[in-house]
Amino acid sequence: MKWVIIGGGFKGIITAVILLKYNQQVTIIESGAALGGHLKGIKWNGYNLDLGCQIFDNSNSDITRFLLDILGSNVKPVDVFYAGITNNYWSKNYTVPDLSHEESLKAQIRDEIKSLKSLPLQESETLEEYLHHRFGKTAGELLCKAADKKLGIAPNLLSSQARDVLFFDRVKVFDEDISINLKEDPFYDERLAVFDHSDPMKYYSEAAKDYKYRNFYPKAGGMSSFSEQAEVFLIKNGVEIIYSDEVDSVLDNSLVTKKGLTLSFERLVWSADVAALENKLLARDVIDDYVYSLPMVLIYFEVQVKNLGPYTYIHDHSTDTYIFRASTAGFYSGQIVSGKTYICCEIPTSLGSAIWDNPELYLESIWQEVCDLNVCSGELPETFKVLKAPKTFSLPLIGYSPVYEQLKIDLSNKMPNLFFIDPLKTSLTDISDTILKELKYDC
Ligand SMILES: Cc1cc2nc3c(=O)[nH]c(=O)nc-3n(C[C@H](O)[C@H](O)[C@H](O)COP(=O)(O)OP(=O)(O)OC[C@H]3O[C@@H](n4cnc5c(N)ncnc54)[C@H](O)[C@@H]3O)c2cc1C
């Protein structure tokens, strides 16, 4: 079958690789001059900077095989060492919020969660309601603060579907030994996080058969080298890539690009912005009113390798700090120049906030947080880079679900051979799993 994919970011790349495995004929139309989208990162001071902390995860053997096919020998395992901080309390090996240290609230949190067990599952409209219904009132309130910090917007403004972007469906509420026992019960199992000290691949035995490490990354060149290798791989395997062009108009089985090319297809994959697809095919702009794009300030410091702490990345859920995640991205990506490397601080914020308008004024505070997080130590580095990303993750606002469901129906009525990718899937793992699952039915 002949497929045309619109957009050559990670979604477009992974779709093309999967389609090749099904022996499909593939063309990608990419509006930029190269594949990769966000994964291309940026070049600065001799480094290939990643936009945030991006590491491949070996949880699905099919996906890992696709990624390893692209990377060939340019791959290395990453021994990930992480921690989380909740209200200035450290939890080694947990990145999710940890409420187990809230001594005065422990009994209340435990009783409230227990009481939910006997209740039927309650519908939730907002993320705030979802967290309350899932973890109880006291834990729910604390988790809403953590969600607000991570997502840069109050959970009562977000649809409950924002749980997909939150990355903490399970949290630490009890001490580890208690949690391990409670997890025998499915109710607790789906709510409680525990760290397995014995084997990071314990729950991924299928994936471990092919590749024994839990996480991996390009050996050289940062994530941008993945995009470059994907380009070479796809072309070598017969994928046609059209650069610096976009769709102008679409009919049932053909499209015309802005540069005047006409392409025929049996299936069209839209991996770019869904709002643009709605506009192009349905001549309306509804979904955009229900999506909030999280702005982030990214601050990179060039640091001495000898001053780095032990962590690959740390999540800070505390509400009195700016950084949500700090990572030693330059180090785990092997980018070391004369004993120096870079670290990356991800700061969710909102457009027009003080830190968004003048991030340079916050360098001292951010560096102090880096030191407090034990990501690095020493004096404020002289060499740094500040990047403002106005749109990172797409978050669903209240009312999103029915509008999105209607959009799916309208698009499929208009064009039954259209395949588009859920905009709420943002982690590389979620994106790959979703596309693989859906294409299995389509090929
Ligand atoms: C600061 C930041 C931090 C992040 N942190 C993480 C993280 O820690 N972990 C994680 O898993 N994910 C993270 N993400 C998200 C991750 O990078 C993205 O989810 C993923 O790379 C998105 O891939 P994509 O293909 O959807 O979009 P993009 O990377 O945006 O690619 C879209 C591509 O389509 C092209 N395009 C757009 N419109 C058109 C059009 N009309 N026609 C043709 N081409 C078009 C663009 O040029 C681009 O190449 C982060 C993102 C950012 C920005």
Side-chain angles (χ1 to χ4, degrees):
M1 221 164 15
K2 183 159 174 33
W3 296 67
V4 171
I5 301 173
I6 311 301
F10 183 70
K11 285 180 187 153
I13 291 172
I14 202 75
T15 305
V17 177
I18 295 170
L19 288 173
L20 280 181
K21 293 286 164 189
Y22 288 114
N23 297 314
Q24 308 291 302
Q25 200 187 330
V26 183
T27 298
I28 298 177
I29 302 180
E30 163 56 48
S31 59
L35 296 190
H38 282 120
L39 288 193
K40 283 203 301 274
I42 52 164
K43 292 199 189 306
W44 170 72
N45 210 23
Y47 303 107
N48 291 304
L49 301 181
D50 285 353
L51 296 178
C53 177
Q54 314 249 19
I55 303 175
F56 290 124
D57 180 40
N58 177 24
S59 54
N60 179 326
S61 57
D62 290 331
I63 299 296
T64 299
R65 220 170 296 130
F66 294 140
L67 298 172
L68 294 179
D69 279 352
I70 291 174
L71 287 167
S73 58
N74 185 29
V75 67
K76 61 169 187 176
V78 179
D79 203 4
V80 170
F81 185 38
Y82 50 79
I85 298 186
T86 314
N87 295 331
N88 305 312
Y89 178 87
W90 278 75
S91 318
K92 276 189 188 153
N93 304 320
Y94 286 87
T95 54
V96 295
D98 180 355
L99 309 181
S100 66
H101 62 282
E102 299 280 355
E103 287 302 331
S104 60
L105 302 174
K106 249 181 179 173
Q108 202 172 330
I109 290 176
R110 188 192 54 219
D111 291 348
E112 284 173 6
I113 292 191
K114 199 173 161 197
S115 70
L116 293 173
K117 239 180 92 102
S118 53
L119 294 176
L121 200 63
Q122 283 175 277
E123 286 282 316
S124 310
E125 192 188 1
T126 66
L127 181 63
E128 181 184 43
E129 281 170 15
Y130 172 79
L131 291 170
H132 279 77
H133 291 161
R134 189 168 173 79
F135 297 103
K137 185 173 180 299
T138 308
E141 268 164 27
L142 294 167
L143 293 173
C144 277
K145 289 184 186 158
D148 196 338
K149 161 96 182 269
K150 181 182 189 306
L151 303 178
I153 179 170
N156 63 350
L157 300 176
L158 292 172
S159 149
S160 57
Q161 268 201 284
R163 61 180 180 262
D164 292 346
V165 197
L166 197 54
F167 300 125
F168 53 79
D169 232 21
R170 290 187 173 90
V171 298
K172 187 161 186 263
V173 185
F174 305 110
D175 294 337
E176 206 159 78
D177 47 347
I178 298 176
S179 297
I180 289 169
N181 282 333
L182 284 172
K183 275 175 81 68
E184 299 283 316
D185 179 336
F187 171 85
Y188 287 110
D189 184 39
E190 61 179 45
R191 285 168 175 77
L192 302 184
V194 292
F195 176 70
D196 196 307
H197 295 263
S198 59
D199 176 10
M201 292 305 286
K202 184 169 173 181
Y203 300 108
Y204 305 97
S205 51
E206 201 48 44
K209 283 184 196 157
D210 276 4
Y211 189 71
K212 64 181 178 175
Y213 304 100
R214 181 81 171 88
N215 295 98
F216 56 101
Y217 189 89
K219 201 190 284 175
M223 268 297 176
S224 65
S225 69
F226 169 78
S227 312
E228 287 155 19
Q229 285 186 266
E231 210 154 333
V232 173
F233 177 89
L234 293 173
I235 292 170
K236 201 172 118 203
N237 285 282
V239 173
E240 179 189 20
I241 306 178
I242 297 167
Y243 299 101
S244 309
D245 206 353
E246 280 182 41
V247 176
D248 187 42
S249 57
V250 192
L251 291 172
D252 292 347
N253 288 97
S254 70
L255 61 82
V256 180
T257 70
K258 291 207 166 140
K259 288 187 176 168
L261 276 176
T262 302
L263 294 176
S264 61
F265 57 80
E266 286 156 272
R267 290 268 195 286
L268 181 71
V269 179
W270 191 277
S271 84
D273 187 18
V274 171
L277 172 64
E278 183 185 43
N279 179 284
K280 181 100 12 217
L281 278 191
L282 304 173
R284 68 181 201 214
D285 300 293
V286 179
I287 192 77
D288 228 12
D289 289 342
Y290 294 87
V291 175
Y292 177 75
S293 294
L294 169 64
M296 265 203 229
V297 173
L298 300 175
I299 300 185
Y300 300 87
F301 292 105
E302 186 178 52
V303 298
Q304 296 282 347
V305 171
K306 65 178 167 46
N307 289 343
L308 289 179
Y311 296 104
T312 316
Y313 58 89
I314 298 196
H315 287 188
D316 186 352
H317 305 285
S318 310
T319 47
D320 56 353
T321 52
Y322 293 104
I323 297 176
F324 165 67
R325 176 167 52 193
S327 56
T328 52
F331 183 69
Y332 67 70
S333 67
Q335 300 185 66
I336 298 168
V337 185
S338 312
K340 291 182 178 175
T341 188
Y342 78 87
I343 61 166
C344 173
C345 307
E346 294 169 64
I347 302 160
T349 184
S350 50
L351 299 179
S353 68
I355 196 164
W356 177 263
D357 286 344
N358 290 299
E360 282 81 3
L361 298 182
Y362 292 78
L363 287 174
E364 295 260 4
S365 315
I366 297 298
W367 180 251
Q368 187 55 52
E369 287 185 22
V370 166
C371 298
D372 293 345
L373 291 170
N374 202 8
V375 167
C376 198
S377 57
E379 296 296 312
L380 173 67
E382 286 174 7
T383 315
F384 59 86
K385 166 103 188 144
V386 176
L387 199 73
K388 298 207 273 185
K391 291 183 172 195
T392 59
F393 298 97
S394 295
L395 309 175
L397 293 165
I398 295 177
Y400 173 87
S401 300
V403 171
Y404 180 64
E405 289 309 313
Q406 190 58 49
L407 177 62
K408 284 204 293 192
I409 294 168
D410 295 346
L411 286 171
S412 108
N413 286 341
K414 176 90 184 173
M415 203 171 171
N417 54 348
L418 171 74
F419 174 90
F420 70 100
I421 299 158
D422 186 342
L424 297 191
K425 304 289 172 197
T426 42
S427 87
L428 303 184
T429 310
D430 269 0
I431 291 172
S432 316
D433 287 351
T434 309
I435 297 174
L436 182 64
K437 229 179 272 162
E438 297 205 9
L439 287 181
K440 261 184 185 160
Y441 294 108
D442 236 56
C443 288

